[in-house]
Amino acid sequence: MIIVPERDVAGLITPAECFEAVESVFASMASKAAYNFPVIREAIGHADALYGFKSGFDRQSLALGLKSGGFWPGNMAKGLTNHQSTVFLFDADTGRCKAVIGGNLLTALRTAAASSISIKHLARKDAKVIGMIGAGHQSTFQLRSALAQRAFEKVIGWNIEPEALTKLKDVAAEKGLLFEAVDLDRMGAEADVIITITSSFDPILKAAQVRPGVHLACMGTDTKGKQEVEAELVAKATVFTDEIAQSITIGECQHAIAAGLIKQDAIVELGAVINGDHPGRTSDEEITLFDGTGVGLQDLAVASKVAERASASGQGTDVDF
Ligand code: NAD
């Protein structure tokens, strides 16, 4: 069994490799070669923490395992990131534990990969302005990855605490792009692509605020009760997701489903677009929305790459377990 601590993960995988791994496992999910097991996520009644497991099996790559972890809101004050997670990989032929890998950076990279894959396949080709709603830990990973998908010319951003937007301005500057803090009306009126990545429990962006042709990647809602966009906006869009079961229970679609505004069979797995089984966007006026709930198979896909590279290069700690 190989152990790769969090501090070594960055040297063992690139964002581009995470993108490839996640795109490939989304395709496997849509072709039913890979499936996620039901998510466990519990408020443990200590440290205000949410703790749980995301797990699954990919019969194509033989990735089997789980990510265990969650959200500790008091961590920032201790100099730690609020999200803490570890990935465990098992040998699909024997059930023996193969690897234990720090999951914090991998979570940020696989989540950024997911929204970027949605932009690659669903955003208008001529998208010029990208809008960011949210400026927390995940947001810079999201923006960096998204900027590689289209010839964006400008970044606009909104955050409930506007002072946090400077980190997005810095990412835009890395690419020589203009950044402007905007209100939500301007966000909806100007952005061709909008990523939402907040921990909000109330709708932030309204249906009346967005313009035709926009692509939305709703990435923050990963728990029952969270919400980033009005349910009417989900109803107005052609909706894609990583996994339908998660989308309607813990994802952004949970509210539109509960209100009877959309039906489960109208939601398309992004993997079907990757596989060429669904056309994706069909007009320049269509609003597309990706409900990125975060699936265990994403974690297993990227962690498997790290484990392979660590074994091949003699990095990590090999333990006879
Ligand atoms: P963070 O705590 O670093 O940042 C939270 C962000 O949400 C900040 O911009 C904050 O200002 C904003 N926010 C908080 N309360 C708000 C409110 N009531 N209204 C509007 N904005 C509010 O968290 P993070 O690590 O950046 O994660 C952001 C969200 O993404 C979380 O909800 C997290 O659970 C989720 N997440 C999803 C996935 C996935 O795969 N879909 C993966 C990782 C994280």
Side-chain angles (χ1 to χ4, degrees):
M1 180 183 87
I2 192 152
I3 300 173
V4 181
E6 186 64 47
R7 64 175 179 272
D8 291 348
V9 170
L12 290 164
I13 193 162
T14 64
E17 288 168 329
C18 288
F19 185 101
E20 266 172 41
V22 173
E23 191 175 43
S24 163
V25 83
F26 279 173
S28 295
M29 282 164 56
S31 62
K32 308 295 175 217
Y35 68 113
N36 295 286
F37 308 154
V39 174
I40 305 277
R41 199 159 162 91
E42 295 284 325
I44 59 172
H46 178 77
D48 284 334
L50 285 174
Y51 173 72
F53 307 94
K54 284 188 170 176
S55 53
F57 179 47
D58 182 348
R59 276 192 294 270
Q60 255 161 14
S61 69
L62 298 186
L64 172 69
L66 62 93
K67 179 171 82 171
S68 172
F71 190 74
W72 277 258
N75 272 8
M76 202 83 93
K78 299 174 186 166
L80 300 168
T81 51
N82 291 348
H83 281 275
Q84 288 296 326
S85 61
T86 309
V87 184
F88 296 82
L89 298 174
F90 297 88
D91 186 324
D93 295 315
T94 63
R96 297 193 73 203
C97 188
K98 278 202 321 193
V100 178
I101 299 173
N104 294 350
L105 176 64
L106 288 180
T107 297
L109 293 175
R110 66 73 145 149
T111 307
S115 61
S116 285
I117 292 163
S118 84
I119 294 167
K120 172 181 166 183
H121 290 280
L122 298 171
R124 285 174 55 145
K125 297 276 181 277
D126 60 355
K128 295 278 182 282
V129 178
I130 181 160
M132 295 294 302
I133 295 183
H137 179 69
Q138 306 295 328
S139 65
T140 53
F141 294 91
Q142 291 283 323
L143 180 56
R144 243 182 227 111
S145 185
L147 288 176
Q149 306 310 318
R150 292 288 184 273
F152 290 112
E153 292 174 356
K154 185 175 177 184
V155 182
I156 58 180
W158 178 92
N159 194 50
I160 195 163
E161 292 149 345
E163 53 282 5
L165 289 168
T166 53
K167 57 164 89 84
L168 296 177
K169 188 177 180 184
D170 292 345
V171 174
E174 282 169 18
K175 304 273 175 200
L177 295 179
L178 287 173
F179 175 87
E180 202 178 347
V182 295
D183 62 23
L184 291 166
D185 284 338
R186 274 193 63 197
M187 171 68 64
E190 294 177 23
D192 302 307
V193 171
I194 299 175
I195 296 177
T196 62
I197 184 74
T198 72
S199 40
S200 175
F201 279 80
D202 295 300
I204 299 170
L205 194 64
K206 308 284 186 315
Q209 285 172 314
V210 303
R211 63 174 177 163
V214 68
H215 172 64
L216 297 138
C218 298
M219 304 304 297
T221 299
D222 56 359
T223 302
K224 200 167 169 48
K226 281 188 186 171
Q227 186 171 11
E228 297 191 290
V229 304
E230 209 175 36
E232 286 74 10
L233 176 48
V234 176
K236 214 171 161 180
T238 309
V239 181
F240 301 83
T241 189
D242 41 21
E243 196 201 71
I244 292 167
Q246 287 193 192
S247 166
I248 63 174
T249 51
I250 58 171
E252 195 60 46
C253 287
Q254 62 181 289
H255 307 284
I257 288 277
L261 293 174
I262 61 165
K263 293 219 164 17
Q264 175 175 337
D265 59 12
I267 305 171
V268 180
E269 284 193 355
L270 183 54
V273 182
I274 297 167
N275 284 337
D277 295 331
H278 186 282
R281 167 180 294 278
T282 53
S283 83
D284 280 352
E285 283 70 46
E286 188 176 7
I287 295 173
T288 51
L289 184 148
F290 173 63
D291 181 5
T293 64
V295 294
L297 283 166
Q298 282 171 265
D299 299 300
L300 304 186
V302 294
S304 297
K305 288 271 168 229
V306 170
E308 269 169 35
R309 187 148 303 149
S311 296
S313 62
Q315 284 171 271
T317 306
D318 214 338
V319 176
D320 193 10
F321 184 66

